Amino acid sequence: MPTIAIVGAGPGLGAAVARRFGAEGFSVALLSRDQAKLDALAAELGAGGVTARGYAADVRDPATLEDALARAAAELGPISVLQYSPLPSRDYLEPVLDLTPDLALEALRFSALGLIHAARAVLPAMRTAGEGSIVLINGGTSVKARPGFAGTSVAFPAESAYGEMLHDALADEGVRVVQLVIPGAIPKLRLEHGIDDVAERIWELHRSDGPFRSMLIPLEEGRE
């Protein structure tokens, strides 16, 4: 049974993606900081027929992140899909004149460095198997900086650059690295089927080859 690891799993997009991949026979590793919330989500998904387990980890703490991914692979099976989608702290959504070096570094740890640690934890197995997907979920500041969202405007482009380089480097190895940009809060985007449309789009990105970056909707039609 293939396994998807969702870094930043919660009751919204993480749960929708878990249900979509679970319907295709995937086991689901749920990663976030709160074990109790993960256990509740795993139980809810289990009641719907999805095999899911929670693994507490903080993307700013490489040891906990790498350990969680290793335990997930050992208990559920090798991770063939990694979704990196932790929700940034509101602290990162500060005006640029209030951005301190410490806050910028924390935002980079959260986005770019967290992704690097997660990718390096799962890529050896993917490359050995000759298949797999890494899916980055980012907001609109990954494409266009906004002075009122300084932390993500610094950190998301760094995460994107690493992902795009991985996309190019792994293109001939059967491992997809893609980014889905969601330029705004999902409930405000007026999608026909709401969050399930986003989960379906992520499934399609996993299933097909294509460019590194995809937009859920045009940037000008959304807001961060």
Side-chain angles (χ1 to χ4, degrees):
M1 182 178 293
T3 300
I4 178 173
I6 302 173
V7 179
L13 181 59
V17 171
R19 290 191 296 268
R20 182 65 185 90
F21 278 74
E24 301 291 341
F26 277 73
S27 295
V28 183
L30 306 164
L31 281 74
S32 71
R33 289 180 292 176
D34 192 318
Q35 187 66 53
K37 291 181 179 179
L38 290 172
D39 291 343
L41 179 55
E44 178 184 329
L45 291 166
V50 177
T51 299
R53 293 187 187 179
Y55 301 89
D58 187 334
V59 297
R60 297 166 300 182
D61 182 344
T64 67
L65 180 58
E66 292 168 1
D67 178 68
L69 289 167
R71 286 188 292 119
E75 294 173 7
L76 297 175
I79 294 167
S80 53
V81 181
L82 170 71
Q83 176 176 304
Y84 192 82
S85 54
L87 185 65
S89 166
R90 294 198 64 82
D91 292 341
Y92 307 154
L93 309 181
E94 293 290 336
V96 65
L97 294 178
D98 295 332
L99 182 66
T100 65
D102 286 344
L103 188 58
L105 180 58
E106 182 180 330
L108 285 164
R109 286 195 181 109
F110 187 88
S111 294
L113 297 182
L115 172 63
I116 293 170
H117 284 288
R120 289 178 62 83
V122 301
L123 275 175
M126 290 183 182
R127 296 179 73 189
T128 296
E131 61 180 0
S133 299
I134 297 176
V135 183
L136 286 58
I137 308 296
N138 293 110
T141 51
S142 60
V143 178
K144 181 176 176 57
R146 294 182 64 189
F149 296 77
T152 59
S153 292
V154 169
F156 277 173
E159 179 184 338
S160 301
Y162 176 70
E164 187 168 13
M165 288 187 290
L166 281 184
H167 172 272
D168 294 344
L170 297 169
D172 296 330
E173 296 191 29
V175 179
R176 302 176 186 85
V177 183
V178 294
Q179 177 190 51
L180 179 62
V181 177
I182 305 175
I186 293 171
K188 298 180 181 180
L189 299 183
R190 298 187 297 276
L191 303 172
E192 183 178 0
H193 301 292
I195 206 161
D196 290 336
D197 282 348
V198 187
E200 181 64 31
R201 184 69 172 273
I202 291 168
W203 170 254
E204 292 170 358
L205 289 173
H206 159 63
R207 291 283 293 170
S208 59
D209 294 324
F212 166 67
R213 175 175 290 149
S214 296
M215 304 292 297
L216 181 65
I217 63 172
L219 186 64
E220 61 274 10
E221 294 181 13
R223 292 185 60 84
E224 181 71 8

